[in-house]
Amino acid sequence: MLQVFQSRKVIAMYVMSMKETSSRAAPKGGFRGDSKRVNRKHVLVVEDQALLRFLAADMLEEAGYEASLAADADEALQVLARNPDIGTIFSDVNMPGDMDGVALARLIREHRPEIGLVLTSGTRIQDLGQLPGGTMFLSKPYEWDEVYRCLEQVRH
């Protein structure tokens, strides 16, 4: 649960529940258990900044979504392999590691085309045409209403 306390000039945010990220010790998996049965209300949040990742999970859960978490693309692939019902990926573009959010989206689109994709970034993507077909893009900072609209659009 997120609580915001506001005074005239200071806004302090306290994340009351810190959700567990999936274990990095899990075996590496590709797209094991490829399933056409997905739950669009099950969203995998891929964000390297822990506070943003936990905040996104809280906001999604408050809106009725189930959230799974990953800190980078490698971990996202592991979580996806263990949870074949994930129906939507909500990912940052710029992440540490060998694969950024765009490369992750391409890989997922190639192997699991039924999964909805929403990418976000605080930096401008020069060519939105480089995104896989059907991918929604949101610039940071965004409003949560925008996120929910994108998630609904990729569900259909």
Side-chain angles (χ1 to χ4, degrees), residues 1-3 13-20 45 50-69 144 148:
M1 163 181 276
L2 174 72
Q3 292 184 342
M13 285 185 3
Y14 297 92
V15 177
M16 301 305 289
S17 65
M18 297 303 281
K19 296 185 176 15
E20 244 182 76
V45 176
L51 184 59
L52 294 177
R53 188 169 59 247
F54 297 132
L55 175 62
D58 281 342
M59 297 300 291
L60 290 169
E61 287 174 355
E62 284 183 19
Y65 291 89
E66 178 183 351
S68 291
L69 305 176
W144 278 99
Y148 302 141

Side-chain angles (χ1 to χ4, degrees), residues 58-110:
D58 281 342
M59 297 300 291
L60 290 169
E61 287 174 355
E62 284 183 19
Y65 291 89
E66 178 183 351
S68 291
L69 305 176
D72 58 35
D74 288 335
E75 187 176 11
L77 294 173
Q78 293 171 22
V79 173
L80 189 58
R82 288 192 308 270
N83 298 278
D85 70 319
I86 290 172
T88 308
I89 307 293
F90 179 67
S91 178
D92 191 11
V93 170
N94 300 310
M95 294 182 286
D98 296 333
M99 190 181 315
D100 67 7
V102 174
L104 175 64
R106 283 188 191 126
L107 186 62
I108 290 169
R109 180 61 73 225
E110 180 181 330

Side-chain angles (χ1 to χ4, degrees), residues 21-154:
T21 60
S22 59
S23 169
R24 291 189 177 271
K28 291 233 176 204
F31 289 92
R32 183 173 49 119
D34 291 1
S35 171
K36 298 294 181 196
R37 298 183 126 191
V38 296
N39 174 5
R40 292 284 187 208
K41 290 291 230 176
H42 189 173
V43 179
L44 173 55
V45 176
V46 188
E47 170 62 62
D48 60 309
Q49 294 182 35
L51 184 59
L52 294 177
R53 188 169 59 247
F54 297 132
L55 175 62
D58 281 342
M59 297 300 291
L60 290 169
E61 287 174 355
E62 284 183 19
Y65 291 89
E66 178 183 351
S68 291
L69 305 176
D72 58 35
D74 288 335
E75 187 176 11
L77 294 173
Q78 293 171 22
V79 173
L80 189 58
R82 288 192 308 270
N83 298 278
D85 70 319
I86 290 172
T88 308
I89 307 293
F90 179 67
S91 178
D92 191 11
V93 170
N94 300 310
M95 294 182 286
D98 296 333
M99 190 181 315
D100 67 7
V102 174
L104 175 64
R106 283 188 191 126
L107 186 62
I108 290 169
R109 180 61 73 225
E110 180 181 330
H111 293 278
R112 298 281 307 275
E114 75 279 9
I115 292 179
L117 298 167
V118 179
L119 295 181
T120 183
S121 180
T123 59
R124 187 177 173 107
I125 292 185
Q126 296 300 330
D127 181 14
L128 291 177
Q130 69 179 318
L131 300 179
T135 302
M136 304 282 303
F137 179 78
L138 278 175
S139 294
K140 289 181 182 177
Y142 45 74
E143 297 290 328
W144 278 99
D145 287 342
E146 294 174 284
V147 174
Y148 302 141
R149 271 193 298 278
C150 283
L151 293 174
E152 287 300 314
Q153 287 179 351
V154 297

